[in-house]
Amino acid sequence: MPAKKGGNSEQILVAQVVAGSRQAFSSLVEAHIARLIALATRMLGSSSSAQDVVQDSLASVWLTRHRLDASKPVGPYLTTIVLNRCRDRLRRRKVVGFFGFPSSDEVQAVADDTPDPENLAASREQLRLVEAEIGRLPIRLREALVLVSVEGRSQAEAAALLGTTEKAIETRIYRARNRLRERVKNFEGYS
């Protein structure tokens, strides 16, 4: 039986969830799952990714159930958790796409539904190394690269945020990409 939103029964379920009742947790989230999957699907463009995000989000809520507040409706809290997970996934996709590595969605789209563990491990290792190299870039280059290439801001927005010109941002991004390209070439010999 789904919980009434904002009603007394939802407050009772939240109290039971905080106390560790899995059955109460299932009842509490049941009324929200379809809406959360629809939201995540719109955000991510993939129903399988959306289901993964919602499942991860609900697992996170269960593990941190002590944070639930019986005096507040649970719907907005669940929505916030799912949106944050979607944003995280989208950020990872941007970084992965920027460097040309296959995303986990692309790896799963292969006809064999089971990704090759060696290739997946190699891609993850390359991504980890590239992320480390981004962290080693001089701060001015890193800021410009992250603002424009990862967060999707325009060069004008990045220039305004960093207090410089669009041309300076363009130059910094060019230099950052060249440094990363050179270092990624070295990784190819590594793998």
Side-chain angles (χ1 to χ4, degrees):
M1 171 172 91
K4 294 177 188 172
K5 292 183 183 174
N8 199 21
S9 64
E10 185 175 272
Q11 292 173 343
I12 292 168
L13 285 173
V14 168
Q16 292 172 345
V17 168
V18 171
S21 170
R22 288 181 187 265
Q23 185 176 5
F25 184 72
S26 293
S27 296
L28 183 66
V29 300
E30 179 182 23
H32 302 280
I33 289 176
R35 179 183 56 79
L36 295 172
I37 289 174
L39 170 68
T41 301
R42 285 191 298 273
M43 289 288 294
L44 301 171
S46 162
S47 67
S48 65
S49 291
Q51 290 173 7
D52 289 345
V53 163
V54 171
Q55 185 176 13
D56 290 347
S57 299
L58 293 178
S60 174
V61 170
W62 172 254
L63 293 173
T64 60
R65 62 190 174 274
H66 63 278
R67 294 183 186 164
L68 290 172
D69 183 350
S71 68
K72 296 179 182 173
V74 76
Y77 181 72
L78 295 174
T79 301
T80 300
I81 300 292
V82 169
L83 281 174
N84 285 337
R85 296 282 175 142
C86 287
R87 289 180 190 122
D88 290 345
R89 180 146 315 187
L90 290 170
R91 274 188 220 107
R92 281 194 303 271
R93 276 187 194 169
K94 275 188 174 182
V95 171
V96 167
F98 176 73
F99 294 106
F101 302 128
S103 71
S104 60
D105 295 337
E106 290 170 350
V107 171
Q108 292 173 0
V110 176
D112 180 6
D113 279 356
T114 56
D116 177 16
E118 291 177 19
N119 288 338
L120 189 56
S123 291
R124 285 184 180 151
E125 178 64 12
Q126 286 178 325
L127 181 58
R128 188 189 66 72
L129 291 170
V130 169
E131 287 172 341
E133 288 302 324
I134 290 173
R136 290 185 186 102
L137 286 172
I139 190 72
R140 296 173 75 162
L141 299 182
R142 185 179 344 144
E143 288 172 337
L145 181 72
V146 169
L147 285 172
V148 175
S149 298
V150 178
E151 289 189 4
R153 296 181 185 267
S154 70
Q155 289 183 2
E157 289 174 306
L161 285 169
L162 298 176
T164 190
T165 65
E166 286 183 57
K167 186 63 178 172
I169 294 297
E170 182 181 342
T171 301
R172 290 175 188 177
I173 293 169
Y174 176 79
R175 289 179 181 161
R177 286 180 176 167
N178 280 343
R179 285 188 186 194
L180 290 173
R181 235 179 248 116
E182 189 61 38
R183 291 174 180 171
V184 168
K185 267 195 246 179
N186 296 335
F187 297 155
E188 289 170 1
Y190 168 80
S191 52

